[in-house]
Amino acid sequence: NEAIYDARKLGLPKTLVLGLQHMFAMFGATVLVPILVTGYGLPLSIQTTLLMAGLGTLLFHVLTKFKVPAFLGSSFAYLGGFGAIATLPVYDGLDPELKLAYALGGVVVAGLLYLVLALMFKLVGAKKVIRWFPPIVTGPIIILVGLHLAGSAVDNAKQNWGLALVAILIVIVVNIWGKGMLKIIPILLGVVGACVV
């Protein structure tokens, strides 16, 4: 029941399964974010997003010495910023490409703040930093991101309610009652189960 900090301890088969699950989750997010941002009127390229996710993933693997079987993709956390830039009256009439540049500038600043936070973790330790981000602070942020995406989820589910329900039920059941390895791969099981159905 202890945390594993080096996925290589799991063995190659389990590591590949975890990596596959993460790839499905990452790919969906990495393609969906540019689609949503384009819906705001900002021309974010899916191809560029995938390329940057791939390069970021390779850099991540090198920096973590290949210990974490993860793919890095887009973050839904920035959608509010993209939406704000797209709809602010001060930017009315501005070229969409220029609006996108402003929004991406905000993402760069957020990335720099992530570096500052990472440095704080390194210098003072995780326990002291996390004390400033209790669940009462982080929970509502995650809920807001989820609520912001709810409309898109419903639009996607409308295409085939049956398969959407099968996928979500598998994820919920495995998450609640799954044991061992099954409990940590609910997304993969939901994707595979829906495909089988």
Side-chain angles (χ1 to χ4, degrees):
N1 291 332
E2 291 181 16
I4 295 173
Y5 295 101
D6 186 348
R8 292 177 290 198
K9 291 180 181 175
L10 293 172
L12 188 61
K14 288 182 179 178
T15 302
L16 289 174
V17 169
L18 287 172
L20 185 64
Q21 172 178 259
H22 205 83
M23 184 197 69
F24 276 117
M26 175 284 306
F27 186 80
T30 303
V31 170
L32 182 58
V33 167
I35 290 171
L36 294 174
V37 170
T38 301
Y40 300 154
L42 304 174
L44 188 61
S45 164
I46 293 173
Q47 295 87 339
T48 302
T49 305
L50 285 171
L51 175 65
M52 293 300 110
L55 293 174
T57 298
L58 292 174
L59 179 62
F60 172 80
H61 283 296
V62 169
L63 294 176
T64 61
K65 299 180 176 81
F66 300 92
K67 291 181 181 180
V68 183
F71 294 86
L72 302 184
S74 299
S75 173
F76 292 105
Y78 300 112
L79 287 178
F82 283 112
I85 293 292
T87 58
L88 279 173
V90 72
Y91 295 119
D92 282 348
L94 205 59
D95 179 51
E97 293 279 345
L98 192 54
K99 277 188 188 181
L100 180 62
Y102 282 119
L104 293 175
V107 172
V108 169
V109 170
L112 293 173
L113 290 174
Y114 276 132
L115 289 175
V116 169
L117 190 62
L119 184 62
M120 287 173 55
F121 268 84
K122 181 83 171 166
L123 295 176
V124 298
K127 287 184 180 179
K128 288 184 180 177
V129 176
I130 288 176
R131 185 173 53 180
W132 295 98
F133 299 97
I136 196 74
V137 173
T138 56
I141 294 169
I142 294 168
I143 290 169
L144 284 172
V145 171
L147 288 173
H148 186 75
L149 294 170
S152 176
V154 170
D155 287 342
N156 288 328
K158 281 181 188 176
Q159 295 177 20
N160 192 326
W161 280 108
L163 284 180
L165 290 173
V166 166
I168 193 67
L169 284 174
I170 290 171
V171 169
I172 290 170
V173 167
V174 171
N175 224 347
I176 294 173
W177 293 290
K179 302 284 185 211
M181 184 71 179
L182 289 180
K183 189 161 182 79
I184 60 174
I185 58 167
I187 295 171
L188 182 61
L189 294 175
V191 169
V192 169
C195 286
V196 167
V197 169

